[in-house]
Amino acid sequence: MSDLPSSGVAATPPAPPTPPGGPLFSIYLSFIYALVILALTVPGLLAAPSRSPIEFLRQPEDSLERLVTRQMELREAVRAAPPWQRALTALFASPDPGSEAADWFDEAAGAFGSPIAQLYREVLTREADRAARGDDPPAAPEAPADAEAEPLAGHMGEWLRAAYPPPGEAPLDVERAAAILREIRELAPPGWLADTLVARVAEGAGNAAARAEAEGAIAARGRVLLGRAMALAASNVLFALVGIALLVASRGRLQAIGAAPIPPPWLVRDGLGLFVRGAAAYLILASLTGLFIPSDTLAEPFTAMAAGVPMLLLTQRCLATYGISLPRAFGLRISPGRAGTLAATAIVLVALSVAAAVLIALGASALGVSSHWADGFPEEILWAPPGVAALHIADTVIWTPFIEELAFRGVLYGTLRRRLPVWPAALVSAGVFAAAHGYGVIGFASVLVSGLLWTLAYEGTRSLLPGIVAHGVNNLIVAADMLALLRL
């Protein structure tokens, strides 16, 4: 076993041999590529505080509707579940959107002038009032301000008034209540919204059968979601328990899996030049993909994956100049008898990442810090046709982890290690990695911790493979959550 270095190298690493033709990458061109990266990223970062993440989604209203309605249905099932299931779901599934959901729809209504977003906002607000007041009637509903915007909008005020009547208003007669119930079923989006409105209108009209049917439909969908949420939570707990057991058994030490030379045998200027060229190419190709490639087609995931190819090709070219192969440079060949060590190390990394994400979420909640629902929302997995979604998932689980670990751990961290000890180099590379994802505070913290874990694993095992595998499994967990709780 080898202990992870804690204070960096004991002596200055020997200078790598200069390629026969001199340094591979021009420092001046590297500076220009760095300016290209800044030009493509800084404007977005500066505009981020004044722009909502929903502006970057293709189907923000549909995505918000699916997210909130599934969470509301799951919440109903969780309320009737045993305490241990409620605790597990609260940790891993975030079933209760709370008061934020109405604000999310309010934001959507303001951004898009959407009557249906207004309807969701009003129903969520009145359901919250109803829960807070018990048997007391909620405040009188108001028709949306832009009630003439769409034909559906003309019905909304009447639906809301019938579902949540003001105090003292006479109950609807049977025929009018039946007509409103038919309108809701015909015009409102099917699911939680329609069933909630039907249940409230039927309750006021004394139609016990219609109310029971609507509430039963919500409960049935919630039970299905609860079963999926419990399966996902159980997998996370299993990873955590096995990972902790393996960590304790190893006494926190990492065994070498590969033989990657750290610090690496290339000049700092060539390592940084390689990184900025690959990153600039990625950003340019990703931008062109967003502009010219039709969404939800097979071309989209393929062109997205192509954005990472320049980094791979440039790295191979650089390494060939220095006389070292890609597998040798990054420990991609497993030493004999180390397959089990690779699996165990990856499980520990996944367990630590899951535990860190839970702790970050709990800490943020205690501090009153929340993330926007659209922050990093992978809607391509939610709405793309099955074949396209499968390719997006393959990109997320296989290709992206390989390219990102190669770039941020292999190239960037390795290059920094020629000048910095372990922890400073790890913090800088993980910070760049987290910033590149463009998430809010909570997402940034989670990605930063994962980046640190994968960096330290690379240093200790002399192989990118544990980080690649753990990165892919982490992304798979996110994709599985999206599929099980929102798409299926």
Side-chain angles (χ1 to χ4, degrees):
M1 286 190 176
S2 61
D3 291 315
L4 181 69
S6 59
S7 59
V9 290
T12 302
T18 301
L24 183 60
F25 297 117
S26 163
I27 192 170
Y28 302 106
L29 284 178
S30 296
F31 180 73
I32 292 174
Y33 279 108
L35 291 178
V36 170
I37 294 173
L38 293 176
L40 291 173
T41 57
V42 169
L45 293 174
L46 293 177
S50 61
R51 296 185 66 184
S52 169
I54 65 174
E55 297 179 38
F56 300 98
L57 298 183
R58 298 169 185 166
Q59 297 176 245
E61 291 181 82
D62 293 336
S63 297
L64 177 57
E65 180 272 334
R66 180 65 60 85
L67 173 68
V68 172
T69 56
R70 290 290 180 92
Q71 286 182 331
M72 295 298 287
E73 290 168 348
L74 179 55
R75 182 183 71 171
E76 295 303 313
V78 169
R79 285 176 173 174
W84 67 271
Q85 289 188 349
R86 293 199 296 270
L88 271 183
T89 311
L91 285 176
F92 296 106
S94 300
D96 192 348
S99 60
E100 289 184 317
D103 295 335
W104 296 341
F105 277 110
D106 191 37
E107 178 188 23
F112 306 108
S114 168
I116 198 64
Q118 293 174 336
L119 178 60
Y120 273 105
R121 176 195 62 194
E122 297 294 339
V123 172
L124 285 164
T125 300
R126 281 157 176 73
E127 285 298 301
D129 289 344
R130 177 186 174 93
R133 300 185 185 192
D135 294 331
D136 295 333
E142 298 177 1
D146 58 347
E148 301 301 324
E150 295 183 12
L152 178 61
H155 299 281
M156 290 182 184
E158 187 174 9
W159 293 353
L160 288 168
R161 194 174 186 89
Y164 309 98
E169 182 166 297
L172 294 173
D173 62 71
V174 176
E175 291 185 2
R176 186 58 194 145
I180 291 176
L181 291 177
R182 286 194 299 271
E183 286 179 1
I184 294 172
R185 288 302 188 196
E186 291 172 2
L187 299 175
W192 177 85
L193 176 70
D195 285 327
T196 300
L197 285 170
V198 166
R200 299 295 169 252
V201 173
E203 179 184 8
N207 188 338
R211 178 186 177 185
E213 180 182 3
E215 292 179 343
I218 293 174
R221 292 192 298 269
R223 286 191 294 270
V224 172
L225 291 172
L226 180 59
R228 296 174 184 172
M230 292 308 302
L232 293 169
S235 67
N236 283 325
V237 171
L238 180 61
F239 263 120
L241 293 177
V242 174
I244 291 171
L246 292 171
L247 187 63
V248 171
S250 68
R251 298 181 181 179
R253 295 182 176 184
L254 292 169
Q255 290 182 319
I257 293 172
I262 304 176
W266 57 73
L267 296 172
V268 170
R269 63 182 290 178
D270 280 344
L272 295 180
L274 166 61
F275 180 79
V276 296
R277 282 164 173 77
Y282 178 89
L283 290 171
I284 292 170
L285 291 175
S287 299
L288 293 176
T289 297
L291 289 174
F292 299 110
I293 302 301
S295 60
D296 295 339
T297 63
L298 288 174
E300 185 182 29
F302 280 120
T303 51
M305 286 186 274
V309 171
M311 176 63 77
L312 176 60
L313 297 180
L314 286 168
T315 302
Q316 288 180 316
R317 175 195 168 196
C318 178
L319 295 177
T321 304
Y322 281 92
I324 185 172
S325 67
L326 187 78
R328 172 71 179 86
F330 301 115
L332 299 180
R333 289 196 184 97
I334 304 175
S335 301
R338 294 298 188 185
T341 304
L342 168 61
T345 306
I347 291 173
V348 169
L349 293 175
V350 173
L352 293 175
S353 295
V354 169
V358 171
L359 292 175
I360 289 169
L362 292 175
S365 177
L367 295 172
V369 178
S370 62
S371 61
H372 195 283
W373 71 270
D375 191 18
F377 190 84
E379 62 175 350
E380 67 277 359
I381 297 177
L382 179 57
W383 300 116
V388 178
L391 284 175
H392 278 300
I393 293 172
D395 177 18
T396 299
V397 174
I398 301 172
W399 179 245
T400 294
F402 171 71
I403 292 296
E404 290 187 348
E405 294 306 302
L406 175 70
F408 290 98
R409 254 61 69 185
V411 174
L412 180 58
Y413 171 74
T415 301
L416 293 173
R417 280 285 282 112
R418 292 212 60 84
R419 292 288 184 268
L420 298 174
V422 173
W423 279 100
L427 284 169
V428 172
S429 60
V432 174
F433 175 63
H437 283 73
Y439 297 157
V441 174
I442 297 176
F444 178 89
S446 182
V447 175
L448 177 67
V449 171
S450 294
L452 278 171
L453 290 171
W454 300 330
T455 303
L456 297 176
Y458 177 47
E459 175 77 37
T461 65
R462 292 300 194 266
S463 173
L464 284 180
L465 289 174
I468 292 172
V469 174
H471 194 156
V473 173
N474 275 18
N475 288 357
L476 179 61
I477 290 172
V478 174
D481 286 351
M482 176 65 64
L483 290 172
L485 299 180
L486 296 182
R487 176 164 181 140
L488 299 180

